[in-house]
Amino acid sequence: MASFYLIVFLSFSLVTVQGDFNYRDALEKSIMFFEGQRSGKLPPNQRISWRGNSGLSDGSLAKVDLTGGYYDAGDNVKFNFPMAYTTTMLSWNTIEYGKRMGPQLQNARAAIRWATDYFLKCANAAPNKLFVGVGDPNADHKCWERPEDMGTARSVYYVSPSNPGSDVAGEMAAALAAASLVFRSVDPVYSKKLLGNAVKVFSFAVQYRGSYSDSLGTAACPFYCSYSGYKDELYWGAAWLLRATNDISYLNFINTLGANDVPDLFSWDNKYAGAHVLMARRSVVGNDNRFDSFRQHAEDFVCKILPNSPFTSTQYTKGGLIYKLPEENLQYVTSITSLLTTYAKYMASKKRTFNCGSVLVTEKTIRSLAKRQVDYILGNNPMKMSYMVGYGTNYPRRVHHRGSSLPSLARHPQSFGCDGGFQPFYYTANANPNILVGAIVGGPNPNDFFPDERTDYSHSEPATYINAAFVGPLAYFDSSKR
């Protein structure tokens, strides 16, 4: 199967497809999407106007304030594990491409801060507790209601010394550390606060080791189980703290983990590839040979992705899309593409090349593959469909998203109740009444087909982590056109 996909892709991979994509417009929309996912009291400059205040009593069951943050996807739950990964990726892309974002830089910072303000509450609300989620996912998934109407229990979840969660704590530390770099020059007081909390949360992750999946049970699984374990989050968290502090003890810690995995994907669950690219920067750009092994791991990862590499382990659809897993495949596409553009950027700064066996890999090789993925998502695909809602004219209309699929409070002030939204709005072929601008859905199946059915959540549900990873590549290709 892999060889079939490879042959098909090679027939056009060597030709850069010329598209007329407006990357700047897509960048603006990709960041605007986060406003549609906001929980808490919305600000006066809220641009997605059909959303209203929600979750205003979050944390009250534990007598703490846990308002704010983001709903992860089409539901009304705040899962800190994917939310923190979202924040780390949004921060990383802002660090790398902020100067290329133009007016969107301010919006990117606002999107990051909406999450980090919430994480600061989670880290400081009670001693010896790190709050990691709000809302009972099992109860929530039985309802189809607007976030503004939530009647389900807003259960509060935390990890502690006796019920550890090194994975979720490690990712939250990564998010706080990465965000501290975003705000370092524009708000040094806030930046210092983020970094101090990153150090504290990471120490907790290291001192009390264990998986949050084991501690939280059905509140984490099967929704966001830490399938890869927690070592990759410790690795990733330490990599970000090293970037933010320049404290070499974090490198020494990474070296004690003995984690040399080189996976062929990157996601909210498995962080190794991202950590390798992040650390490789010190080797490629900084000429620091202490980081050469990370550069080698990063290039081994690229060799597993490139279609014409002898080491490839990546399938492609006939249309040229990276295809990893059936559910929410575009999350892997955007995350991998983000690593590709960032590593290409590092290579370009030093005119670096490397080999996958006998295949020479240049910055242009990687950039061409990344551009193919970006353009596929924006409409250069067999369906001629943009998988970003509100971008272009042909995009998903029946997105698996509660708020988008139900009439807004302005149009229907009365609550629908827990299951009142199913029959008239979930099980219907009608388009969603509210456009969730910028949302990137799960994407097409391996045959490049997208049914655009609300009930088909694995293909039609958007998620914050799909978008967060896409912001960087959009800024990268927008600036390269100027």
Side-chain angles (χ1 to χ4, degrees), residues 13 72 84 108 169 175 203 231 241 319 410 436 450:
S13 68
D72 69 297
S203 297
K231 193 181 282 188
L241 279 160
L436 186 61
F450 180 75

Side-chain angles (χ1 to χ4, degrees), residues 396-419:
R397 307 285 175 168
R398 287 167 281 278
V399 180
H400 182 97
H401 188 275
R402 287 158 176 76
S404 172
S405 69
L406 293 160
S408 66
L409 280 172
R411 285 183 51 201
H412 193 286
Q414 298 81 23
S415 170
F416 289 101
C418 165
D419 54 7

Side-chain angles (χ1 to χ4, degrees), residues 185-208:
S185 62
V186 290
D187 192 340
V189 173
Y190 188 64
S191 172
K192 189 174 180 181
K193 186 176 185 181
L194 293 174
L195 187 54
N197 277 274
V199 171
K200 180 180 78 168
V201 171
F202 189 73
S203 297
F204 175 87
V206 173
Q207 187 173 353
Y208 306 107

